[in-house]
Amino acid sequence: MSVVGARPNFMKIAPLHKAFQKYPSISHRIVHTGQHYDANMSRVFFDDLELPHPDVYLGVGSGSHAVQTARIMVDFEKIVLAEEPNMVIVVGDVNSTLACSLVCSKFLIPVVHVEAGLRSFDRTMPEEINRIITDSIADLLFVSERSGLTNLRNEGIPDSKVFFVGNVMIDSLVHFKEKAARSTIRKALGVEGKQYAIVTLHRPSNVDVRDNLASILSMLDKISQRQTVIFPVHPRTRKMISEFKLGERLLSNANLILCDPLGYLEFLCLLESASLAITDSGGIQEETTYLGIPCFTMRENTERPVTVSEGTNTLMGFDYEKTAVEAETVFQGNYKKGRVPELWDGKTAERITKEIANKLLLN
Ligand code: UD1
C-alpha cells in the first residue's frame, strides 16, 4: 500500500506503481490522504502521470500541523485495520509521510521510506522533523543521493535497512519528458521562442513573512525588466499575497506572468526551456539539476546537497536583492554547468520494487 498526500508525492509514486505491474503476485493499492485537494494540486497529476484513481481517498484537507497529522492518523488507522497491508510505502517528507509511518509502526507493519536520509539540519522546517521521525521508524530506507547514506549512518540506522537506489522522481521526468514537450503551455502563455525565468515559492519562511514576500515581489519586478518571469502561484502564496495586500502592483507588470498552479506536464514543459528557475521547492532543485537548468534556491540550506555540489543549484538564502543581480550572470551565460548525479537514470523504481518484492515474496 502506497500513501500519497501532497503535490510532490504523486511523481514519486507513479513510477513505483508502474514498476509493480511486473509483479502480478503483488497487489499495489494507493491511499490518498487528501492533504492537497484542489484539482490543480492533485487530480491533474493523476491524469498527467497516468496514475489510476486512488483506491482510498481520506479527504483530510488543510489544518494546523497537529490537526492535519492527527486527522490523517485516525483515518489511516481505519484503512490499515480494514485492509491489512503487508507493507506500507511512504515518500518524501510531508505530514502524510509522518502520520502514516507512525500508524504502521504501532501495528508492526513494515514501513518503506522512499527518499530517506535527506537532512537540511534545520529543525525550523516542519519537513525536517517529518524526515527524522519517519527514518527512525522505517524498516526499509531508499536513498536518492549519497549524503543520505552518511546521515542515516550518523543517526545509527543499520546499513542492512538502507539502499542507495537513486531518485525516483527523476524516473517520472525521464518517462514523461517527450510527452511534456508536446504541451501547448508556452504558446498559451505567449513565451514560445522567448527567453523566460520560472518561479515557484511556497515555504512559510518566504511567503508567510510580509517583508520577505514584499521583497520577493520587488525581486521579480526587477528580473522581469530583463526577461519574462512566469510565476505559477501556490495556494498558500496566493493567500498571503492577498492577506498582506500585495497584489495590486503585480497587475501592472505585463512581463510578470502570474498563473494558477500548473499540472506536471505543463510545468515540466516550461522548466525544460527556462533560462533560470527560482524556487524554494525540494523537487525543483533536483529536476533542474537533471535538466541542466540554472536554479536559485531561496533558502539558507538544502536537504539535497548534491544539487549544489554537482548540479546547477545555488542557495541564495533570503537575499532577494543579490538574487536579482545574480540572475544577470545567468542571462549572460556565465553560470556554472552541472552534471547528473549518480543513479538518477530513470530506473530507480525498478530497483526499489525489486528489493520490496524480495522482502514481500520471500517472507
Ligand atoms: C505542503 C508540505 C510541503 C510541500 C508542499 C508542496 C507539509 C508539512 N508541507 O506544504 O512540505 O513542499 O505541500 O506543495 O506537509 N491549500 C489549498 N489547496 C490545496 C492545498 C492547500 O488551497 O489543495 C492551501 C490551504 O489554505 C492551506 C495552505 O494552502 O492552508 C497550505 O497547505 P498545506 O498542505 O498545509 O501546506 P503546503 O504549504 O502546501
Side-chain angles (χ1 to χ4, degrees), residues 6 8 35-38 41 62 65 68 93-95 127 202-203 234-236 239:
Q35 182 176 341
H36 283 172
Y37 42 86
D38 287 348
M41 297 293 285
S62 302
H65 283 273
Q68 190 174 56
D93 54 17
V94 300
N95 286 343
E127 293 82 359
H202 72 283
R203 299 247 172 243
H234 186 281
R236 174 191 287 276
K239 198 167 86 183

Coordinates of all heavy atoms in Angstrom, one line a residue, residues 6 8 35-38 41 62 65 68 93-95 127 202-203 234-236 239, ligand 1:
A6 N 0.3 15.0 -0.8 CA 0.6 16.4 -1.3 C 1.2 16.3 -2.7 O 1.8 15.3 -3.1 CB 1.4 17.1 -0.3
P8 N 4.0 17.1 -4.2 CA 5.3 16.4 -4.5 C 5.3 14.9 -4.4 O 6.3 14.3 -4.7 CB 6.3 17.1 -3.5 CG 5.5 17.6 -2.4 CD 4.1 17.9 -3.0
Q35 N -4.4 15.6 1.7 CA -3.7 16.7 2.3 C -3.7 17.9 1.3 O -4.0 19.0 1.7 CB -2.2 16.4 2.6 CG -1.4 17.5 3.2 CD 0.0 17.1 3.7 OE1 0.3 15.9 3.8 NE2 0.8 18.1 3.8
H36 N -3.5 17.6 0.0 CA -3.8 18.5 -1.1 C -5.1 18.0 -1.8 O -5.2 16.8 -2.0 CB -2.6 18.7 -2.0 CG -1.5 19.5 -1.5 ND1 -0.3 19.6 -2.1 CD2 -1.5 20.3 -0.4 CE1 0.5 20.5 -1.4 NE2 -0.2 20.9 -0.3
Y37 N -5.9 19.0 -2.1 CA -7.3 18.6 -2.6 C -7.7 19.4 -3.8 O -8.6 18.9 -4.6 CB -8.3 18.7 -1.4 CG -8.1 20.0 -0.7 CD1 -8.7 21.2 -1.1 CD2 -7.2 20.0 0.4 CE1 -8.4 22.4 -0.4 CE2 -7.0 21.2 1.1 CZ -7.6 22.4 0.7 OH -7.3 23.5 1.4
D38 N -7.2 20.6 -4.0 CA -7.6 21.3 -5.2 C -7.3 20.5 -6.5 O -6.3 19.8 -6.5 CB -6.9 22.7 -5.3 CG -7.4 23.7 -4.3 OD1 -8.4 23.4 -3.7 OD2 -6.7 24.7 -4.1
M41 N -3.9 20.9 -7.7 CA -2.8 20.4 -6.8 C -2.8 18.9 -6.6 O -1.9 18.3 -6.0 CB -3.0 21.0 -5.4 CG -2.9 22.5 -5.3 SD -1.3 23.2 -5.6 CE -0.5 22.8 -4.1
S62 N -6.9 20.7 4.8 CA -5.9 21.5 5.5 C -6.2 21.7 7.0 O -7.3 21.4 7.4 CB -5.9 22.9 4.9 OG -5.7 22.9 3.5
H65 N -0.6 21.8 11.9 CA 0.2 20.6 11.8 C -0.4 19.5 12.6 O -0.5 18.4 12.2 CB 1.7 20.8 12.1 CG 2.4 21.5 11.0 ND1 3.0 20.8 10.0 CD2 2.6 22.8 10.8 CE1 3.6 21.7 9.2 NE2 3.3 22.9 9.6
Q68 N -3.8 18.4 11.2 CA -3.7 17.6 9.9 C -3.1 16.2 10.2 O -3.6 15.2 9.7 CB -2.9 18.4 8.9 CG -2.9 17.9 7.5 CD -2.2 18.8 6.6 OE1 -1.0 19.1 6.8 NE2 -2.8 19.2 5.5
D93 N 8.5 13.9 2.6 CA 8.7 14.5 3.9 C 7.5 15.3 4.4 O 7.6 16.2 5.2 CB 9.9 15.4 4.0 CG 9.9 16.4 2.9 OD1 8.9 16.7 2.3 OD2 11.0 17.0 2.6
V94 N 6.3 15.0 3.8 CA 5.1 15.8 4.1 C 4.4 15.2 5.3 O 4.8 14.2 5.8 CB 4.1 16.0 2.9 CG1 4.8 16.7 1.7 CG2 3.6 14.6 2.5
N95 N 3.4 15.9 5.8 CA 2.7 15.4 7.1 C 2.1 14.0 6.9 O 2.1 13.2 7.8 CB 1.7 16.4 7.5 CG 2.3 17.7 8.1 OD1 3.5 17.7 8.5 ND2 1.5 18.7 8.3
E127 N 9.3 19.9 7.6 CA 9.7 18.7 6.9 C 10.8 18.0 7.5 O 11.0 16.8 7.4 CB 10.0 19.0 5.4 CG 8.8 19.6 4.6 CD 8.5 21.0 4.8 OE1 9.2 21.7 5.6 OE2 7.6 21.5 4.1
H202 N 6.7 28.8 -2.0 CA 5.5 28.5 -1.2 C 5.9 28.2 0.3 O 5.1 28.0 1.1 CB 4.8 27.2 -1.7 CG 5.5 26.0 -1.4 ND1 6.6 25.6 -2.2 CD2 5.4 25.0 -0.5 CE1 7.1 24.4 -1.8 NE2 6.4 24.1 -0.7
R203 N 7.2 28.2 0.6 CA 7.6 27.9 2.0 C 7.2 29.0 2.9 O 7.4 30.2 2.6 CB 9.1 27.7 2.1 CG 9.6 26.6 1.3 CD 10.2 25.4 2.1 NE 10.5 24.4 1.1 CZ 9.9 23.2 1.1 NH1 9.0 22.9 2.1 NH2 10.2 22.3 0.2
H234 N 1.3 29.1 -5.8 CA 0.8 28.1 -4.9 C -0.3 28.7 -4.0 O -0.3 29.9 -3.7 CB 2.0 27.7 -4.0 CG 1.7 26.5 -3.1 ND1 1.1 26.7 -1.9 CD2 2.1 25.2 -3.1 CE1 1.0 25.5 -1.2 NE2 1.6 24.6 -2.0
P235 N -1.3 27.9 -3.6 CA -2.4 28.4 -2.8 C -2.0 29.1 -1.6 O -2.6 30.2 -1.2 CB -3.3 27.2 -2.5 CG -2.7 26.0 -3.2 CD -1.5 26.5 -4.0
R236 N -1.0 28.6 -0.9 CA -0.5 29.3 0.3 C 0.0 30.7 0.0 O -0.3 31.7 0.6 CB 0.6 28.5 1.0 CG 1.3 29.3 2.2 CD 2.6 28.6 2.6 NE 2.3 27.3 3.3 CZ 2.1 27.2 4.6 NH1 2.0 28.3 5.4 NH2 1.9 26.0 5.2
K239 N -2.8 33.1 -1.0 CA -3.5 33.6 0.3 C -2.7 34.7 0.9 O -3.3 35.7 1.4 CB -3.6 32.4 1.2 CG -4.7 32.5 2.3 CD -5.0 31.2 2.9 CE -4.1 30.9 4.1 NZ -4.3 29.6 4.7
Ligands
UD1_1 C1 2.9 21.0 1.8 C2 4.1 20.3 2.5 C3 5.4 20.8 2.0 C4 5.4 20.7 0.5 C5 4.2 21.4 -0.1 C6 4.1 21.2 -1.6 C7 3.9 19.6 4.9 C8 4.2 20.0 6.3 N1 4.1 20.6 4.0 O1 3.0 22.4 2.2 O2 6.4 20.0 2.5 O3 6.6 21.3 0.0 O4 3.0 20.8 0.5 O5 3.1 22.0 -2.2 O6 3.4 18.5 4.7 N2 -4.3 24.8 0.1 C9 -5.3 24.9 -0.9 N3 -5.5 23.8 -1.7 C10 -4.8 22.6 -1.6 C11 -3.8 22.5 -0.6 C12 -3.6 23.6 0.2 O7 -5.9 25.9 -1.0 O8 -5.1 21.7 -2.4 C13 -4.0 26.0 0.9 C14 -4.7 25.9 2.3 O9 -5.1 27.2 2.6 C15 -3.6 25.5 3.2 C16 -2.3 26.1 2.6 O10 -2.6 26.0 1.2 O11 -3.8 26.0 4.5 C17 -1.1 25.3 2.8 O12 -1.3 23.9 2.6 P1 -0.5 22.7 3.4 O13 -0.8 21.4 2.9 O14 -0.8 23.0 4.9 O15 1.0 23.1 3.2 P2 1.8 23.4 1.9 O16 2.3 24.8 2.1 O17 1.1 23.1 0.7

